[in-house]
Amino acid sequence: MRAHACAGLSVLAILVSGCSVLGGAQATTADPDAACTALKGLEGDGTATAEQLVIMVDRSASMRNKDSGEVPDWYAAIFAGDGTPLPDGSVGFGSGGLIPSLRTPATISVGAFDGGNRVTAAEISLPRMSGGEVNRRDFAANTGSCLRFHLGEKTLSAPDTEGSNVLAAFQPTVTGAGRDTRRTLVVASDGLSTTGCAGLLTTAMRDPGHADRIVRACRAQKAVPALRGWSVRMPWVGSSGKGHSQPQQGHLTWLERLWSGLCAAATGEAGSCEIGVRQQPGALPATDGRQPTVKEGAADVAVAFQQSEHPPSSVRTKEFPGDLLFATDSATLSAGGTRRLKEFAVELAAQGPETVTVIGHTDRRGSSGHNAALSGRRAESVAALLQEEGLRGVAAEGAGEERPKPGCRGDSAADYTCNRRVEIVYKVRG
């Protein structure tokens, strides 16, 4: 029993007493963590799972109040009220939340994610609700209390990794469903991904076609999890914590299109997706006069909302030192260069480039013919790797020694190093 587990959380104190739904004894307690323990002690009767529910909470820094550290009350937004027994064996939560009821038996996963690929989750397994009125009432109340506890705990957990990888939330962690099992994934996030294939750090969020290109790029990289048979609900797109930069209507429309496309790619059908732009729920309530906050953990990277009157440049260049990518007089990519180029390929694919050209450059030593041929082979090696990573139509060009960088036109060792480089020039639309 963790006596400190619910410190700072607003929770419903449930008295668990008497016998369990299926006859097991339960101790009397007002600790919501113990409500979860009481549920774990219940045994099922072999009835097939009726419901699978996965809730993924974005715990990145942009999701909380920038000044105070207050976090959203996701339980109030998703379930609204306390758990009550319904005549059909479901647990009801009222009509004001995203999930009005849960059928039993059920498996529930409550997870949190940040900028990495790993999702941490707590599992709740509910048997079929049965027994007398008192047992059913305790069962439903414990379910609500346990869900409230885990959602508060995950929301208040500090992010381990900088940024937010929203697509990582599209990975259900519960298994064993049958044909008739209802499967629902709830993603509590603003959808402002800053890592992964759907990263938005260099996106102006104006061109609808660019949202579609990001979807295609993620699919090409096999970065969209398979969610066939699932219903996905992500109604808080574009709603960050107070004090953070907020999108305008055009940005919200663009974000809704992006996540509708990614969701449809995951589930196989647009009708399984509910993507919306609701306001983030209010802060988790104070307990004993203390406001629960998160003040530590990895930082986030702000997504800039470009204004239409200041369009970003559509042509961009990424430069890699030749000595990072190749040994002297070689066109074979090094291990370190390969690794760095693969990382960049993920970043580039997320921007949905319309054109990509790789240009190789050498220093002025050697003959011009040799340098032109070497730079061309190096450009082709880089272009081939980018295409292997899912980018399409990558062109290669060898410039040899003909285009020295400004300020590097001399014959010093530093000048030579400066000019041995590979440039990746690409065009995007925001």
Side-chain angles (χ1 to χ4, degrees), residues 21 104 157 163 172 180 215 217 260 288 322 358 426:
V21 176
T104 63
S157 62
D180 298 326
V215 174
S260 293
D288 297 329
V358 181
Y426 56 100

Side-chain angles (χ1 to χ4, degrees), residues 74-344:
W74 292 118
Y75 183 88
I78 297 171
F79 296 106
D82 302 325
T84 58
L86 299 179
D88 65 354
S90 300
V91 178
F93 301 98
S95 59
L98 198 67
I99 304 294
S101 65
L102 278 172
R103 298 187 296 185
T104 63
T107 54
I108 307 165
S109 178
V110 181
F113 65 95
D114 44 45
N117 293 316
R118 187 173 67 92
V119 173
T120 59
E123 310 295 336
I124 304 171
S125 181
L126 300 178
R128 182 174 64 90
M129 183 166 61
S130 59
E133 179 181 351
V134 172
N135 286 340
R136 292 163 67 91
R137 185 179 66 243
D138 288 345
F139 178 96
N142 285 339
T143 299
S145 184
C146 186
L147 284 168
R148 191 190 298 268
F149 167 72
H150 281 305
L151 275 168
E153 188 177 56
K154 292 301 181 185
T155 305
L156 286 168
S157 62
D160 295 323
T161 306
E162 181 182 78
S164 178
N165 183 5
V166 180
L167 204 54
F170 280 52
Q171 300 178 34
T173 58
V174 288
T175 58
R179 175 186 296 181
D180 298 326
T181 303
R182 183 169 65 189
R183 305 172 181 87
T184 305
L185 168 65
V186 176
V187 181
S189 171
D190 57 13
L192 297 176
S193 208
T194 55
T195 66
C197 74
L200 303 176
L201 290 179
T202 57
T203 303
M205 302 185 208
R206 288 195 308 271
D207 176 19
H210 184 48
D212 300 337
R213 287 191 290 274
I214 292 177
V215 174
R216 291 196 297 271
C218 289
R219 295 187 68 174
Q221 295 174 57
K222 296 181 172 56
V224 181
L227 288 171
R228 304 285 171 153
W230 284 78
S231 171
V232 178
R233 311 188 74 175
M234 189 175 172
W236 299 284
V237 165
S239 184
S240 303
K242 186 177 181 181
H244 295 277
S245 178
Q246 300 293 328
Q248 299 176 352
Q249 184 56 51
H251 303 129
L252 293 174
T253 300
W254 190 94
L255 284 166
E256 194 170 4
R257 182 184 183 110
L258 170 68
W259 287 107
S260 293
L262 287 168
C263 178
T267 64
E269 51 181 317
S272 297
C273 304
E274 180 187 324
I275 311 297
V277 292
R278 296 185 191 180
Q279 287 296 308
Q280 190 182 94
L284 200 64
T287 301
D288 297 329
R290 294 177 297 171
Q291 191 71 41
T293 61
V294 180
K295 295 190 180 297
E296 70 281 342
D300 208 346
V301 184
V303 173
F305 297 108
Q306 299 281 353
Q307 302 300 314
S308 59
E309 61 269 22
H310 298 295
S313 172
S314 61
V315 178
R316 301 167 188 171
T317 301
K318 178 69 174 181
E319 180 181 309
F320 292 89
D323 294 349
L324 168 68
L325 303 182
F326 305 100
T328 301
D329 207 33
S330 171
T332 300
L333 284 164
S334 67
T338 298
R339 182 171 59 253
R340 183 64 191 93
L341 284 169
K342 287 184 175 182
E343 292 172 353
F344 177 69

Side-chain angles (χ1 to χ4, degrees), residues 217 220-221 341-342 345-346 349 384-392:
Q221 295 174 57
L341 284 169
K342 287 184 175 182
V346 173
L385 183 143
L386 294 179
Q387 293 191 117
E388 289 172 3
E389 294 301 304
L391 292 157
R392 297 290 176 262

